[in-house]
Amino acid sequence: MGDASGRVIAVANMKGGVGKTTTVVMLAEGFAAEGARVVVLDLDAQASASYCFAPDDELKTIISARKTITSFLADRILLNDRVPIHDYLTPAISKVTKAGEALPIDMVAASPRLRLLEREIILKMAEGKFGARSLEGQSLRVLQKAIGELKETYDVILFDCAPGISAFTEVAIRLADLVVVPTIPDFLSTLGFEAFRLSIWENAHVTRSSLPRPLRRPAVLPTRVSGRKRQHREVLDALMAEAGEADAPFELFGITIGDQAAIERAMDPEQFAEAPTFEQKWGASVASVRGLVNEIRRRLDG
Ligand SMILES: Nc1ncnc2c1ncn2[C@@H]1O[C@H](COP(=O)(O)OP(=O)(O)OP(=O)(O)O)[C@@H](O)[C@H]1O
Ligand SMILES: [Mg+2]
């Protein structure tokens, strides 16, 4: 990597708290530590990924400066303003260093208003302001163009999606070369994954006719895995058996992300001094970050 090939990775799951944002941060810093130029687009009104990269008052400043996906979508969809996505980027957001340099990560932050914006667009549509296009159709048109522009500059483009299924998640999944679905290998999480898969990959053509089919099957990444839990081992075996069948409805990562104190710590910005190195930040979980990046590279190429 190095000369912008612009691969798009969306991290999504209907279920909350399964490690979506953690996966995005691992991938952003893991790819950037290998020299790739990375941009993170936060599509979650909770703004967790944004806060991880811009803790304390930094995110407030970014939001007041309108450097958010919310402002971008409002300007593009509600005002029909032709501003480029680059105007909404916060450059060099990472505090983490490698060989004395900050990791090359830029970000389009989220703000809590993102949720309201969805409603605002739907209301305007009900007034007949946009012709026949749905919220999903509008968002796809605008984000597709933005991704096209970002592909010229970045090697890796990451979407952090909100839990649940929103119009923005539906669009991110369609724009992605790879959709990573972090899943805790327990009963309720696999049930949640099944519901998610059916509503987007199987019924997409029926219920969301304005959107194309996703480019490829979802790729399940087992997260927060505890080797000591028998249930985790059983669910992983079942997932492996299903993924091994011909015409399996999903791919399964070979790597699993363990439930690791080092990962939980890495996700807390208050745990670190001003500019930790990549190795200081991820500690005992560096191997998991590198392993995840390597497998994503293989999956993108294969
Ligand atoms: N592999 C792991 N080991 C230990 N803790 C983890 C791991 N992955 C995630 N966590 C912790 O679990 C919590 C939820 O993780 P995260 O915020 O990434 O989930 P999420 O799916 O993005 O949640 P949401 O649905 O709210 O967006 C966080 O406190 C995080 O630190
Ligand atoms: Mg999250």
Side-chain angles (χ1 to χ4, degrees):
M1 290 215 180
D3 31 57
S5 46
R7 309 310 297 273
V8 183
I9 303 164
V11 182
N13 193 342
M14 201 156 140
K15 192 148 174 58
V18 291
K20 294 181 290 296
T21 301
T22 304
T23 302
V24 166
V25 175
M26 287 170 85
L27 287 176
E29 296 182 356
F31 271 106
E34 294 182 5
R37 293 219 52 191
V38 177
V39 63
V40 176
L41 285 87
D42 192 345
L43 290 181
D44 184 358
Q46 294 179 92
S48 320
S50 303
Y51 189 78
C52 280
F53 289 110
D56 304 320
D57 288 341
E58 212 184 322
L59 182 57
K60 279 189 205 145
T61 310
I62 289 170
I63 292 172
S64 330
R66 300 190 80 257
K67 301 262 181 210
T68 63
I69 196 78
T70 318
S71 296
F72 171 71
L73 291 168
D75 292 350
R76 289 301 294 250
I77 299 178
L78 294 176
L79 305 179
N80 205 18
D81 218 341
R82 300 215 165 268
V83 279
I85 185 74
H86 286 88
D87 292 359
Y88 299 83
L89 278 168
T90 305
I93 192 74
S94 184
K95 313 291 178 290
V96 180
T97 60
K98 180 93 191 175
E101 303 267 342
L103 293 181
I105 302 174
D106 296 350
M107 175 176 77
V108 184
S111 70
R113 260 205 66 221
L114 190 59
R115 186 81 194 104
L116 287 175
L117 177 70
E118 251 186 287
R119 297 219 189 131
E120 235 175 286
I121 297 172
I122 292 171
L123 278 176
K124 286 263 161 71
M125 279 184 333
E127 293 166 9
K129 294 238 160 76
F130 302 121
R133 252 197 250 259
S134 63
L135 170 60
E136 288 83 4
Q138 291 289 341
S139 310
L140 180 67
R141 174 182 62 88
V142 163
L143 284 171
Q144 193 157 35
K145 177 133 194 311
I147 290 298
E149 291 165 14
L150 293 174
K151 277 184 177 178
E152 291 173 20
T153 316
Y154 298 95
D155 305 302
V156 178
I157 299 160
L158 289 162
F159 280 117
D160 188 19
C161 297
I165 297 181
S166 75
F168 304 138
T169 301
E170 295 246 22
V171 167
I173 283 171
R174 264 73 180 190
L175 293 174
D177 298 300
L178 187 67
V179 180
V180 178
V181 185
T183 306
I184 301 172
D186 60 23
F187 176 66
L188 284 180
S189 298
T190 50
L191 205 64
F193 166 62
E194 186 62 4
F196 182 56
R197 192 181 67 70
L198 290 176
S199 54
I200 295 192
W201 277 265
E202 300 299 322
N203 302 326
H205 54 298
V206 184
T207 54
R208 300 283 189 203
S209 52
S210 66
L211 292 178
R213 269 180 173 281
L215 296 172
R216 138 180 202 177
R217 297 173 298 167
V220 172
L221 173 69
T223 48
R224 308 211 64 171
V225 177
S226 169
R228 286 187 318 253
K229 289 190 182 157
R230 194 168 58 116
Q231 193 203 17
H232 280 199
R233 292 198 303 272
E234 286 173 0
V235 169
L236 278 177
D237 285 346
L239 283 172
M240 250 187 277
E242 197 179 350
E245 284 167 18
D247 297 327
F250 60 89
E251 301 174 28
L252 181 65
F253 274 81
I255 192 173
T256 60
I257 306 299
D259 195 57
Q260 299 174 37
I263 293 182
E264 200 166 352
R265 178 170 172 271
M267 291 303 288
D268 177 357
E270 286 172 14
Q271 297 290 319
F272 301 97
E274 279 296 288
T277 65
F278 173 73
E279 282 78 12
Q280 281 168 344
K281 172 159 176 181
W282 292 96
S285 54
V286 161
S288 293
V289 178
R290 294 216 173 104
L292 180 59
V293 165
N294 285 339
E295 188 167 347
I296 295 256
R297 279 190 202 282
R298 282 204 304 280
R299 287 187 179 273
L300 284 170
D301 293 340

